[in-house]
Amino acid sequence: QVQLVESGGGLVQPGGSLRLSCTASGSISRFYVMAWYRQVPGKQRELVATITNSGWTNYADSVKGRFTTSRDNAKNTMYLQMNSLKPEDTAVYYCNTNQAVLQWGQGTQVTVSS
């Protein structure tokens, strides 16, 4: 079973940027669509962005134009570049496939606050 480890979160002021990474213990190239999710306590996990092996991306309306995802299959890693962060982006961020077939990692906390 592929293990996922998210990193790169932290505390940032509104308008700031962060780059999250998701490193898998095995190959992610066999998963055509990978995804980023986020979750706020007491709420359901939200799909934030997806990316195919071909590099096609899709984003939730709430992050469109501010977030960019990419993947490096050779490194078994995917990334989420987050710009113009807002307080409402505060959440724990996770990666998985778009069908969430892999075991969830521990996530990485992103806090946007002044």
Side-chain angles (χ1 to χ4, degrees), residues 49-62:
T50 60
I51 182 168
T52 70
N53 267 331
S54 304
W56 289 98
T57 57
N58 197 21
Y59 300 93
D61 287 343
S62 57

Side-chain angles (χ1 to χ4, degrees), residues 7-21 36 66-69 79-86 89-91 93 108-113:
S7 62
L11 173 63
V12 63
Q13 291 188 342
S17 298
L18 283 174
R19 188 192 193 208
L20 306 185
S21 297
W36 285 97
R66 301 186 297 119
F67 290 12
T68 303
T69 188
Y79 306 96
L80 185 66
Q81 177 67 42
M82 307 187 297
N83 299 328
S84 303
L85 282 162
K86 304 176 180 180
D89 295 318
T90 296
Y93 284 72
T108 186
Q109 175 71 48
V110 171
T111 302
V112 184
S113 174

Side-chain angles (χ1 to χ4, degrees), residues 4-70:
L4 301 168
V5 178
E6 301 89 352
S7 62
L11 173 63
V12 63
Q13 291 188 342
S17 298
L18 283 174
R19 188 192 193 208
L20 306 185
S21 297
C22 166
T23 301
S25 61
S27 174
I28 62 171
S29 61
R30 58 195 174 107
F31 302 111
Y32 184 64
V33 185
M34 293 295 294
W36 285 97
Y37 301 80
R38 66 186 181 188
Q39 189 170 25
V40 175
K43 292 190 176 182
Q44 282 194 331
R45 199 163 286 170
E46 174 191 16
L47 181 65
V48 174
T50 60
I51 182 168
T52 70
N53 267 331
S54 304
W56 289 98
T57 57
N58 197 21
Y59 300 93
D61 287 343
S62 57
V63 307
K64 201 170 292 184
R66 301 186 297 119
F67 290 12
T68 303
T69 188
S70 59

Side-chain angles (χ1 to χ4, degrees), residues 68-112:
T68 303
T69 188
S70 59
R71 64 192 287 176
D72 185 341
N73 286 347
K75 295 182 178 180
N76 297 321
T77 301
M78 57 187 294
Y79 306 96
L80 185 66
Q81 177 67 42
M82 307 187 297
N83 299 328
S84 303
L85 282 162
K86 304 176 180 180
E88 50 264 43
D89 295 318
T90 296
V92 179
Y93 284 72
Y94 302 87
C95 59
N96 210 311
T97 71
N98 65 317
Q99 296 181 324
V101 299
L102 299 175
Q103 183 176 350
W104 293 99
Q106 82 289 351
T108 186
Q109 175 71 48
V110 171
T111 302
V112 184

